[in-house]
């Protein structure tokens, strides 16, 4: 019971921040790519990093209630969690599409659920240690 309460308390906020971060990610990507400023891969990377930066600020203060000043170690752990999650998500999509013959749209949805879980656990226990 205690574990469920600890895990569930910030989860709705985490999901809201994640949704907003995703919107920022996509809008930055769209602006950079559709205006011809960057090719789709670097535009995607800049979009991803923009969403991660936005999410860091809100997750730190609003989701997990951390008011202490950020250190390089905390920022590095946050980036490590999200980059590891991105890598795992990409491998999962690839495996589901190529080896399980699942439609990419469904595979991406599965990956989003998986990476949301890994991001929450990683930020909760490795970055903002609640």
């Amino acid at each position: 019971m205690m574990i469920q309460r600890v895990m569930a308390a910030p989860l709705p906020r985490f999901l809201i921040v994640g949704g907003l971060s995703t919107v920022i990610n996509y809008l930055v990507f769209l602006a950079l790519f559709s205006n011809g400023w960057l090719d789709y891969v670097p535009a995607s990377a800049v979009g991803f990093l923009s969403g991660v930066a936005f999410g860091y600020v809100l997750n730190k203060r609003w989701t997990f209630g951390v008011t202490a000043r950020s250190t390089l170690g905390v920022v590095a752990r946050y980036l490590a969690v999200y980059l590891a999650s991105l890598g795992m998500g990409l491998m999962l999509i690839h495996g589901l599409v190529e080896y399980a013959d699942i439609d990419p749209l469904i595979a991406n949805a599965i990956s989003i659920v998986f990476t949301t879980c890994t991001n929450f656990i990683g930020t909760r226990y490795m970055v903002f240690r609640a």
Side-chain angles (χ1 to χ4, degrees):
M1 187 67 135
M2 178 66 153
I3 291 174
Q4 287 176 327
R5 202 169 346 141
V6 169
M7 286 290 290
L11 186 59
R13 289 181 181 189
F14 183 82
L15 295 173
I16 291 168
V17 171
L20 292 172
S21 296
T22 299
V23 169
I24 288 171
N25 176 342
Y26 189 76
L27 290 175
V28 169
F29 163 78
L30 187 62
L32 294 173
F33 180 65
S34 65
N35 289 311
W37 295 330
L38 290 176
D39 193 33
Y40 71 92
V41 171
S44 180
V46 172
F48 173 79
L49 292 173
S50 299
V52 167
F54 172 82
Y56 175 81
V57 173
L58 279 183
N59 276 325
K60 178 183 176 216
R61 299 214 172 147
W62 187 56
T63 304
F64 298 110
V66 175
T67 57
R69 201 176 160 111
S70 293
T71 64
L72 183 57
V74 170
V75 173
R77 286 192 306 271
Y78 189 84
L79 282 174
V81 164
Y82 276 83
L83 291 174
S85 184
L86 175 65
M88 289 185 290
L90 293 175
M91 288 189 296
L92 179 60
I93 290 171
H94 177 76
L96 291 172
V97 171
E98 296 299 321
Y99 302 111
D101 199 29
I102 294 176
D103 182 276
L105 297 175
I106 295 170
N108 190 49
I110 293 168
S111 176
I112 288 169
V113 171
F114 173 77
T115 57
T116 298
C117 294
T118 60
N119 289 338
F120 179 76
I121 292 167
T123 54
R124 175 89 171 164
Y125 296 106
M126 294 174 62
V127 179
F128 300 124
R129 299 182 184 160

